[in-house]
Amino acid sequence: MFSVPLWVIPRRLAPRIGPWLVAVAGLVAIASPPPRCASADEPTSGALAKLGVAIVPQDAAFLSSALRLREQYDLIAGSRAVAAIKALPAVTRALESYEEARATPGSPFSTFDTFMQLPENADAAELVADMVSTDTFVYGEPSCVSFWRLVRKLAESQQAAGFAAEPGKASRVEEQDGDADDTDAKDEDDARADEEEEADAMELRFQGDAGVDAGRQARLVLEALADNLDLIVVPDLVWGFRTTKRDIALEQLKRIEVLGTMLAETAPESAKSLRRRQVAGGEVLTFTVDGDTLPWDEFTASLAETAGDTEGADDVIDRLKSLDLVIAVGVIGDWVILSVGDSVDHLEKLALPGSGRKGLLTLPAFRPLLDHADARITGISYVSESLSEAISTSRSDVESMLSAVDELDASAELPAEAKDEIRDLARKATDEWAKRLPEPGPWTAFSFLSEQGYEGYVWDWGRNQPYDGSKRLELFEHAGGAPLAVLVSRLKSDPGAFDAVVDLGGGAWKLFSTYGRPALDEEQAARFDGFEEHVAPLAARGVGIIRDKIRASIADGQIGFVLDAKGRTKKLQGELPASAEPLPLVEPAIVLPLADPKLFKDGLSDLFALGDELTDAIRDMDPDAVPAGYRIPEPEKSKVEAGTVWSWKLSNSRLDDQIRPAIGVGEKAVVLSFMPKQAGRMLVESPLETGSRLSRFAEPLASGAAIDCAGLVDVIGPWVTYLTRYGCVQQRDGAVDPDAELTAADENEQAQEVLEQVRVVLEAVKSLRAAVAETAFREDALVTHWRNVIRDLPAR
């Protein structure tokens, strides 16, 4: 067996949307019972005490650590799967060409090879290999939080600039147009230019960055900087690499110092920038860029030309001048350290052995990791609560919508009561959105090598999570038994969300009817009136059907996504040639739980009838829009083992008749699919087989996912063969006859060689057999537990 790291979970995406992204990627999965918890002050001991994460300061904003890279590389490089790929003719030829180039005097490869054989360069290469072999990390100081908050502030200012043109811009254009009307000498080209300018001014109010005045945008950004001078910082970042070659590392540090000194002689003004210092008991070489020495005069002049005389601009420039950029590289303890920041003072905070300082591992967020101290850990990630708050959408972000409304007010020609009503509606939307936002907390993830492949956890201590993990996920029994992939989640019941959306939509429509319609021309107003008379009432009825029947018949907050490929076809579409071998049909589907099948069917019937009324309404608005006598085709109804399936034939698409939108309704589930057979199959209750040996889907969960990774590869193979044959015929004949059948005889010699190599690669990829994930609430956290199975190719 061999193993590879399969997934690096984004900082907040996995806990925010459950394991769906994990499932789509085919690599991870979620939740397991909580292990023993150590206290926050428990001393770090054993294997964990030797990790780089143990020396990271306790107040770090984030951490990302990669471990056992050499061990993992050896497992991969020594596998039979990689051996099979290396034995491919194309790979063999590439390796032979490289070796030949290395042996050719004067070639770049030969020159580089000779260069690397020099003792000092060979030592450098040996050091780099050693540095990345066992333990590397990167972390950010609290200054990263300040920096990111500033980035968010600047983004908000640019967003505000995108909502409206500079106040007075539209009026100036109108004045120009008035002058044009009074000037008989205007030629046709000038008149057209005025029309385009007026159109541009109108678009400028709504289209966002594409139409924003550069000067206005620069002023808003400058104002944001001036209001947040304390957030203008150089973020301190530190990279660490464990080394067993400390002596070589010190020698290479001397080489860098000598080289830096030689370069400084060619630029005397930077000679003082290079310094060798004692930091945290180690040797560090620093290079400092003094902010005051940068060419600010040119920048200031350019800024004044763009942004004009903006209040606070001088303070911003003074703040930027006060910042230094310090790049440091050195050897501290058993670590090669690279640092970027405004100084190297933060390196004194490293929790080195004997320093008495507490490191990151003493935080409560790392308690789960302590219970896996003996595992072969491959990666650790962490985000502090402060950084989590800085990077997450918050109420203040949502409230920036209100400032955008105010910016719109400045240029929109609306009466005062209209502006008040728009602002009230925006405030209501903000309140509805903000109260449903998760509250960020610290976040920790780690992975390790297991007997079967890889395993890992993600712990998210955020609050107000949208998930409900109080019960098992029954929808797994309506995934079709053995799908290629399945994700099921249960969200908290939120009856008010639907009503809030409907209410907000109705409020926006009323505002436009009252204040927007008068601005329409005669033709547009007629269309609007027709829509309001004929279509709007049907929309209101449709909302009522969805609320009172469809939504009311759904059992709880569960929702499932399924991907399968049980269907087969030889001819996908009428314009395409047939395949000699059956091709798998990809089958996506959504499944929902039912509480009242009869009410759901009544709702469907009402929606079908409403569709016919909508057709008549559109015809009444515009007789030419819909042919006379046209009706939406009636769905085909078929009884299946566990319910009823309605499907709509796509007559004009010429797709295989198996492919048609379908709704399957059973006693406990409703399925939305593009394959009626799949819908019928999923209505039947059956135990989930995909990933069943790895999963804990019988336990109470908030979300779960399983993927048949090898099965997904099996779906790809036949289509690669078909498309290759299609390309061969296209190249040979110039066109492909839709009535033809593509066979192995259509493959040319080059295609046969390529297909054979593709098959070898796909077999190697199938070493990743399956992945599962479960998400559940444990203690105060939303916990993601993922596992996968990796099996090497069998020995020949």
Side-chain angles (χ1 to χ4, degrees):
M1 179 190 294
F2 73 95
S3 302
V4 295
L6 298 173
W7 182 255
V8 177
I9 301 178
R11 281 192 297 266
R12 301 203 58 79
L13 288 184
R16 283 285 171 264
I17 62 174
W20 176 233
L21 293 180
V22 180
V24 171
L27 299 175
V28 292
I30 314 174
S32 126
R36 174 193 62 84
C37 289
S39 68
D41 294 326
E42 180 177 331
T44 305
S45 59
L48 292 181
K50 300 177 182 178
L51 298 182
V53 63
I55 72 169
V56 174
Q58 201 176 49
D59 63 350
F62 73 89
L63 163 84
S64 180
S65 175
L67 305 164
R68 300 176 178 270
L69 292 181
R70 182 68 194 190
E71 179 181 346
Q72 296 176 74
Y73 171 81
D74 289 341
L75 288 170
I76 297 170
S79 68
R80 291 185 290 273
V82 170
I85 293 175
K86 289 173 66 175
L88 292 174
V91 178
T92 300
R93 288 194 295 267
L95 293 175
E96 289 174 350
S97 297
Y98 170 71
E99 291 299 330
E100 183 179 348
R102 285 183 59 195
T104 303
S107 71
F109 290 107
S110 175
T111 302
F112 180 76
D113 193 45
T114 301
F115 175 77
M116 291 305 299
Q117 289 178 12
L118 296 174
E120 58 273 25
N121 295 331
D123 286 346
E126 181 182 358
L127 174 63
V128 170
D130 180 67
M131 286 165 53
V132 299
S133 291
T134 57
D135 190 350
T136 69
F137 64 81
V138 58
Y139 74 88
E141 284 284 316
S143 55
C144 293
V145 179
S146 299
F147 179 80
W148 191 258
R149 285 176 177 159
L150 179 64
V151 170
R152 297 291 295 272
K153 295 287 185 182
L154 297 181
E156 289 174 12
S157 66
Q158 288 182 317
Q159 183 183 31
F163 271 86
E166 181 179 0
K169 174 102 177 185
S171 62
R172 286 198 299 272
V173 174
E174 290 167 3
E175 290 172 4
Q176 292 169 1
D177 289 342
D179 293 340
D181 292 337
D182 295 336
T183 305
D184 296 332
K186 272 262 184 210
D187 59 24
E188 186 176 355
D189 290 340
D190 288 340
R192 187 180 300 110
D194 284 344
E195 293 175 2
E196 292 175 353
E197 186 176 4
E198 181 177 7
D200 289 343
M202 295 299 292
E203 290 178 5
L204 198 58
R205 300 176 185 174
F206 305 104
Q207 70 184 25
D209 288 348
V212 172
D213 177 78
R216 172 178 175 76
Q217 190 172 50
R219 281 189 292 277
L220 288 175
V221 169
L222 262 180
E223 289 171 4
L225 290 171
D227 291 339
N228 297 277
L229 291 176
D230 58 321
L231 299 182
I232 303 178
V233 298
V234 178
D236 299 308
L237 300 171
V238 179
W239 288 263
F241 308 86
R242 180 181 291 279
T243 180
T244 60
K245 312 288 183 182
R246 178 180 168 83
D247 292 342
I248 295 178
L250 291 172
E251 288 297 324
Q252 294 299 317
L253 189 63
K254 291 179 181 178
R255 286 186 70 192
I256 296 174
E257 184 178 16
V258 171
L259 179 61
T261 302
M262 293 173 60
L263 292 175
E265 291 177 356
T266 64
E269 66 278 4
S270 64
K272 296 181 179 179
S273 300
L274 190 67
R275 288 185 57 194
R276 190 182 184 95
R277 301 177 53 181
Q278 292 280 332
V279 178
E283 295 286 332
V284 174
L285 191 65
T286 64
F287 181 80
T288 302
V289 178
D290 190 338
D292 197 38
T293 63
L294 296 176
W296 291 109
D297 292 340
E298 278 184 38
F299 177 77
T300 304
S302 175
L303 189 63
E305 183 178 346
T306 304
D309 186 15
T310 302
E311 185 178 356
D314 291 340
D315 294 333
V316 173
I317 297 299
D318 290 341
R319 174 63 177 172
L320 292 172
K321 287 181 177 180
S322 70
L323 299 177
D324 294 336
L325 173 65
V326 180
I327 302 172
V329 60
V331 181
I332 299 177
D334 295 331
W335 301 89
V336 173
I337 298 293
L338 173 64
S339 169
V340 176
D342 62 354
S343 72
V344 292
D345 294 344
H346 53 273
L347 295 180
E348 297 287 358
K349 296 162 53 181
L350 290 173
L352 296 165
S355 67
R357 290 183 288 272
K358 292 181 180 179
L360 208 57
L361 284 181
T362 60
L363 293 177
F366 285 87
R367 290 173 182 172
L369 178 62
L370 300 182
D371 291 273
H372 296 271
D374 296 330
R376 293 188 292 168
I377 297 173
T378 57
I380 304 171
S381 299
Y382 164 76
V383 174
S384 69
E385 183 167 357
S386 58
L387 182 58
S388 215
E389 290 174 351
I391 65 179
S392 300
T393 302
S394 65
R395 184 179 180 89
S396 63
D397 297 318
V398 182
E399 288 179 340
S400 66
M401 294 168 51
L402 298 178
S403 62
V405 171
D406 292 335
E407 293 292 340
L408 181 62
D409 287 350
S411 60
E413 298 176 0
L414 294 172
E417 61 270 19
K419 296 177 181 179
D420 290 339
E421 290 182 34
I422 292 174
R423 195 175 292 104
D424 289 343
L425 185 65
R427 168 64 68 182
K428 189 173 183 179
T430 298
D431 291 341
E432 290 292 341
W433 186 6
K435 71 184 181 182
R436 291 175 172 86
L437 285 174
E439 299 174 19
W443 181 93
T444 302
F446 56 91
S447 60
F448 50 90
L449 290 164
S450 66
E451 290 299 318
Q452 293 180 304
Y454 275 75
E455 188 171 349
Y457 291 84
V458 180
W459 288 67
D460 181 4
W461 283 270
R463 300 164 296 281
N464 196 33
Q465 298 282 7
Y467 299 107
D468 178 359
S470 61
K471 296 177 287 186
R472 63 182 294 268
L473 299 169
E474 299 91 347
L475 278 189
F476 276 124
E477 297 171 3
H478 289 280
L484 292 177
V486 57
L487 163 76
V488 178
S489 298
R490 178 182 276 111
L491 303 176
K492 292 178 180 177
S493 177
D494 189 359
F498 181 85
D499 294 334
V501 171
V502 172
D503 189 30
L504 290 170
W509 179 261
K510 182 180 178 181
L511 279 173
F512 185 80
S513 299
T514 305
Y515 303 108
R517 187 195 177 285
L520 301 176
D521 61 32
E522 185 175 348
E523 182 181 354
Q524 292 171 333
R527 290 180 180 177
F528 177 84
D529 291 341
F531 184 89
E532 191 166 46
E533 178 183 357
H534 299 290
V535 178
L538 298 181
R541 283 174 53 194
V543 168
I545 294 169
I546 293 173
R547 179 186 58 238
D548 300 332
K549 293 188 176 181
I550 300 298
R551 188 170 65 91
S553 64
I554 301 300
D556 59 14
Q558 282 187 92
I559 182 170
F561 300 91
V562 173
L563 185 67
D564 215 337
K566 298 290 193 303
R568 294 291 184 271
T569 184
K570 285 195 170 185
K571 192 176 180 68
L572 178 65
Q573 202 266 348
E575 298 298 323
L576 295 174
S579 172
E581 298 85 17
L583 300 170
L585 290 173
V586 178
E587 305 169 337
I590 297 174
V591 58
L592 299 168
L594 274 183
D596 190 336
K598 183 179 182 305
L599 184 61
F600 186 85
K601 292 177 183 179
D602 288 344
L604 281 183
S605 297
D606 291 348
L607 289 176
F608 295 159
L610 193 64
D612 291 332
E613 293 185 49
L614 179 62
T615 302
D616 293 335
I618 294 174
R619 188 184 292 113
D620 290 338
M621 288 177 56
D622 183 358
D624 297 328
V626 180
Y630 174 81
R631 281 287 182 271
I632 297 175
E634 289 290 325
E636 296 183 13
K637 180 180 178 181
S638 58
K639 298 291 291 183
V640 294
E641 177 183 349
T644 306
V645 175
W646 287 268
S647 63
W648 289 260
K649 187 173 183 178
L650 303 174
S651 304
N652 298 326
S653 68
R654 301 192 65 189
L655 287 169
D656 186 305
D657 194 52
Q658 300 176 76
I659 305 172
R660 51 172 70 185
I663 300 177
V665 181
E667 288 299 313
K668 295 184 179 180
V670 56
V671 178
L672 310 177
S673 173
F674 289 101
M675 303 282 285
K677 288 185 177 179
Q678 182 192 27
R681 187 170 66 245
M682 290 174 60
L683 291 179
V684 179
E685 286 190 56
S686 57
L688 180 66
E689 298 177 23
T690 306
S692 60
R693 295 183 180 180
L694 298 174
S695 68
R696 294 177 178 146
F697 293 155
E699 300 177 2
L701 295 174
S703 191
I707 307 170
D708 178 2
C709 304
L712 286 172
V713 176
D714 286 336
V715 171
I716 296 172
W719 282 101
V720 171
T721 300
Y722 175 81
L723 293 175
T724 302
R725 291 173 180 174
Y726 187 98
C728 289
V729 174
Q730 178 81 28
Q731 184 181 36
R732 183 189 67 204
D733 302 336
V736 182
D737 184 358
D739 296 325
E741 181 180 80
L742 301 181
T743 68
D746 294 311
E747 301 169 9
N748 57 38
E749 185 177 348
Q750 182 182 9
Q752 290 174 354
E753 181 180 349
V754 170
L755 286 175
E756 182 57 36
Q757 297 185 58
V758 168
R759 292 185 188 106
V760 172
V761 172
L762 290 178
E763 282 300 314
V765 173
K766 285 171 62 176
S767 296
L768 173 58
R769 306 301 298 174
V772 299
E774 305 113 25
T775 296
F777 286 97
R778 299 288 185 260
E779 300 177 355
D780 297 326
L782 185 66
V783 182
T784 298
H785 180 199
W786 58 267
R787 283 148 291 173
N788 58 44
V789 174
I790 305 173
R791 294 176 185 162
D792 200 357
L793 296 179
R796 297 198 174 193

